[in-house]
Amino acid sequence: MGDPLYLGLKNWATPRPRLQMTRMILTVGLVLLLSSCVPAPKPPLPLLNEQDLWQRLQANAKAWHSLRGMTRIRTENSAGSASARQVLLLAKPDSIRAEVLSPFGQPLLLLTVQDGQLRVLLPREQRFLQGEATPERIARFIRLPLSAEQMVRVALYDLPLISHEESALSRHEAGYQLLLSGADHRQRLDFDASGRPLGASYYRGDQLLLQVAYDNFAAALDDFPRQVTVTMPGQDASISMTYNDVELNFQPAAESFLLQPPAGIVVEDLP
């Protein structure tokens, strides 16, 4: 008769033909279901040439001419760091209006640049200062000696380009680099694999003068970056701007960048 336990295990381990067919159908169905859930691999991006990247830079230069909205500004240098919220208005070629706010939303500083003139109102101190908008004077407020036009272009995702005699394109795993070479200056432009500009580095000889980096690109803003960081390694200084709730390409009113001294306040010359 044999061992009943052995016979039971033998019968369980040797499935009947109908059971085998059922298991095979279930297995095939499960494989097909899992394979349908796996996303198809993305096709590789086409290789770009230097002309493609130049066209992207030119398109950026034309795409955005103004910005307004809330911005988080962080500045750093050897003396320390500071962070504040501000209402920011920008318009090409060189118009700026910034209202730095306290944690309670009260204005601490109002600054405008229009027609080459820098004007600053300090409400708490009841002071109004004005003078030519030189990079040195602008640096007193943003810690970087940039001209108003340079600042506006960088903030509007329009990288300033140096005069150059030679250019060289190189490709790497993450994207592309375009190197521009002039008499004594160089500029390296960085792009991702799709040709989107990510930033630039500016050199005099082998000395790195300035770096610009873009991040947090927003599809809702036509791929405009929500974060801009400008660094001057030689001066241990940087400024980072994070845009929140911004509007691009608005039509500014003529008086948007005009700042007048309140009644009773004496106008002082900016040192």
Side-chain angles (χ1 to χ4, degrees), residues 37-241:
C37 296
V38 177
K42 294 182 179 180
L45 293 171
L47 294 179
L48 304 178
N49 56 37
E50 187 171 330
Q51 183 179 359
D52 295 325
L53 301 181
W54 279 116
Q55 289 175 349
R56 183 60 185 268
L57 291 171
Q58 292 166 358
N60 273 19
K62 298 176 182 178
W64 299 285
H65 59 77
S66 61
L67 174 150
R68 65 180 170 191
M70 294 298 300
T71 307
R72 170 66 66 175
I73 299 286
R74 180 175 179 82
T75 60
E76 295 185 23
N77 65 6
S78 56
S81 62
S83 178
R85 290 185 310 127
Q86 69 176 24
V87 180
L88 183 65
L89 281 75
L90 303 170
K92 287 184 175 180
D94 56 4
S95 295
I96 302 172
R97 182 184 180 94
E99 300 182 14
V100 180
L101 305 176
S102 73
F104 301 103
Q106 298 172 327
L108 299 175
L109 178 148
L110 286 80
L111 177 151
T112 64
V113 178
Q114 186 181 45
D115 299 329
Q117 289 295 304
L118 172 62
R119 298 178 177 89
V120 180
L121 174 63
L122 302 171
R124 290 186 176 182
E125 301 175 26
Q126 293 290 289
R127 297 180 66 191
F128 187 93
L129 305 96
Q130 69 177 18
E132 184 181 355
T134 63
E136 293 74 22
R137 283 174 172 156
I138 292 175
R140 295 186 59 188
F141 302 97
I142 68 170
R143 305 194 180 189
L144 296 175
L146 298 176
S147 70
E149 181 178 359
Q150 289 170 336
M151 198 67 218
V152 169
R153 288 187 61 181
V154 167
L156 288 175
Y157 197 25
D158 174 15
L159 286 166
L161 303 174
I162 67 168
S163 298
H164 60 281
E165 290 81 37
E166 297 180 358
S167 62
L169 176 64
S170 61
R171 186 174 184 271
H172 53 86
E173 183 176 351
Y176 302 86
Q177 289 184 345
L178 182 60
L179 183 63
L180 310 180
S181 301
D184 60 345
H185 288 73
R186 292 183 297 122
Q187 179 179 4
R188 190 194 73 214
L189 296 154
D190 298 305
F191 304 82
D192 68 9
S194 71
R196 177 170 57 189
L198 300 177
S201 302
Y202 300 81
Y203 298 84
R204 179 185 293 122
D206 293 329
Q207 180 186 6
L208 177 59
L209 302 177
L210 180 76
Q211 284 183 309
V212 179
Y214 298 106
D215 200 0
N216 194 11
F217 295 88
L221 295 175
D222 294 329
D223 222 20
F224 187 84
R226 288 188 178 273
Q227 183 169 336
V228 184
T229 303
V230 184
T231 307
M232 278 190 168
Q235 299 190 21
D236 193 25
S238 68
I239 179 171
S240 177
M241 297 181 289

